[in-house]
Amino acid sequence: WRAMTVMVPADEFIQEAGGEMLLKELRGNKAKLVTFVKYHMLPGLHLSSQLESKETVVRDTFIRGEKLEFFLEDDSNDLTVKGRFNFATLRKSDRMAWNGNLLEIEGVLEPPEPL
């Protein structure tokens, strides 16, 4: 098996991104669901403390050629993840699983392919 890190949008941010309509669309289209999930996944085990240990960290997603950039905000010292089209703040919570780590984010990252 290969460890992975999954960034999970907090419920309130899924609601802001379209809530039930977004979930219904993802459930009804397997290709869109796979793209959405893969864009929130990083190969390997990445703890929040490791991501914030450098000024800027770039990580590959499970979508070939797509990268996410992690950086510390100057004014708040929050760790932010930058996707292709938008940003999300990382909540400092590592939830370890047998095959990786779950990181809760304050936002929904928009994949390169429109949903």
Side-chain angles (χ1 to χ4, degrees), residues 7 19 21 47 54 62 68 78 81 85 92 111:
M7 293 173 293
M21 286 179 47
L47 302 176
K54 298 178 183 170
F62 272 86
L68 296 175
D78 286 335
V81 58
F85 302 112
K92 308 280 191 298

Side-chain angles (χ1 to χ4, degrees), residues 4-8 42 44-52 70 79 90-97 100-105:
M4 67 184 75
T5 299
V6 180
M7 293 173 293
V8 181
L42 306 172
L45 181 63
H46 304 283
L47 302 176
S48 59
S49 59
Q50 293 170 324
L51 291 169
E52 66 186 22
F70 295 83
L79 184 64
L90 181 70
R91 292 185 175 173
K92 308 280 191 298
S93 61
D94 293 307
R95 296 185 184 163
M96 299 302 296
N101 185 26
L102 300 174
L103 297 171
E104 190 172 22
I105 57 174

Side-chain angles (χ1 to χ4, degrees), residues 5-58:
T5 299
V6 180
M7 293 173 293
V8 181
D11 288 344
E12 62 266 32
F13 295 96
I14 290 176
Q15 293 303 319
E16 283 182 15
E20 289 302 317
M21 286 179 47
L22 173 64
L23 295 175
K24 183 178 179 182
E25 184 175 351
L26 292 174
R27 281 188 212 112
N29 186 320
K30 185 177 178 181
K32 286 183 180 185
L33 176 61
V34 168
T35 298
F36 179 84
V37 171
K38 283 184 172 182
Y39 198 61
H40 288 79
M41 294 174 66
L42 306 172
L45 181 63
H46 304 283
L47 302 176
S48 59
S49 59
Q50 293 170 324
L51 291 169
E52 66 186 22
S53 64
K54 298 178 183 170
E55 193 167 311
T56 300
V57 180
V58 177

